Amino acid sequence: NVSTQADLSNAITLTSVPQAPGDLDTSFPARALNDAVDTVLELSNGQYLIGGAFTDVDGIATRDKLIRLNTNGTLDESFTPPKDLNLSVWSVAELSNGQYLIGGSFTDVDGIATRDKLIRLNTNGSLDESFTPPKDLNGTVHSLAELSNGKYLIGGAFRNVGGDTTRDRLMRLNIDGSLD
């Protein structure tokens, strides 16, 4: 009987030991995405912004290339990003004002506005129409950063902006999206 209590005590101790770094967190629900995830960003509020090539989440909610998850891993239904990004999202950045800068290979958003590889979203996921980045970016956007002066540093696999302005894989944009 004493050894049984000791065994039971060990079992309780073992199950209460926190998970080791790198262990699978089974409390975070698995999401079924139908294509690649290319970027994951933990937001300042503990949520997650996830971008990639997927168009479907869990076989239920149609989400095109971009989702936000709550801290517990559930889909944030209040975040409604553009529905029709024609190609992948490769990079995301949370801005100091709560908006999001999104980069990738897409050239069209919602089948209406031509946006060339770069968009800014409001906190609810809607397109910020006041942000007008350069058109005809002949490559893809892979990296985004907001600078301390509010401007944006953009990196990627592009060589020209607007057809004739040389920006060899790195450019800086003003807050409104215009080329600095």
Side-chain angles (χ1 to χ4, degrees):
N1 192 3
V2 172
S3 67
T4 305
Q5 286 178 339
D7 291 341
L8 182 57
S9 174
N10 271 344
I12 292 170
T13 302
L14 290 176
T15 58
S16 64
V17 172
Q19 292 180 332
D23 284 355
L24 179 63
D25 181 356
T26 56
S27 69
F28 195 83
R31 304 266 60 101
L33 301 168
N34 68 339
D35 210 331
V37 169
D38 295 307
T39 185
V40 176
L41 175 66
E42 184 176 12
L43 302 173
S44 59
N45 66 0
Q47 290 182 304
Y48 304 94
L49 192 59
I50 300 170
F54 55 86
T55 57
D56 187 79
V57 179
D58 297 335
I60 302 168
T62 300
R63 299 294 176 130
D64 209 10
K65 321 295 191 285
L66 194 62
I67 60 173
R68 187 169 66 191
L69 298 180
N70 294 310
T71 57
N72 65 1
T74 59
L75 187 63
D76 181 356
E77 297 287 347
S78 70
F79 182 74
T80 54
K83 293 179 183 158
D84 293 317
L85 290 170
N86 66 334
L87 296 169
S88 296
V89 167
W90 291 358
S91 53
V92 296
E94 181 179 22
L95 305 177
S96 58
N97 66 359
Q99 290 182 305
Y100 307 109
L101 199 57
I102 311 297
S105 57
F106 53 86
T107 57
D108 194 63
V109 178
D110 286 338
I112 304 167
T114 299
R115 301 292 177 145
D116 213 8
K117 284 76 169 194
L118 192 60
I119 58 175
R120 186 169 63 195
L121 301 179
N122 296 309
T123 57
N124 66 358
S126 63
L127 186 64
D128 179 356
E129 297 284 348
S130 70
F131 181 74
T132 54
K135 295 185 186 310
D136 301 323
L137 183 63
N138 75 333
T140 54
V141 171
H142 296 268
S143 298
L144 306 163
E146 181 179 27
L147 304 175
S148 60
N149 62 3
K151 295 183 181 189
Y152 309 118
L153 195 58
I154 313 297
F158 51 84
R159 308 272 326 242
N160 293 12
V161 178
D164 61 354
T165 304
T166 300
R167 291 292 187 269
D168 206 2
R169 297 174 181 82
L170 190 64
M171 66 178 166
R172 188 170 65 184
L173 300 180
N174 295 309
I175 295 170
D176 66 358
S178 63
L179 193 59
D180 184 358

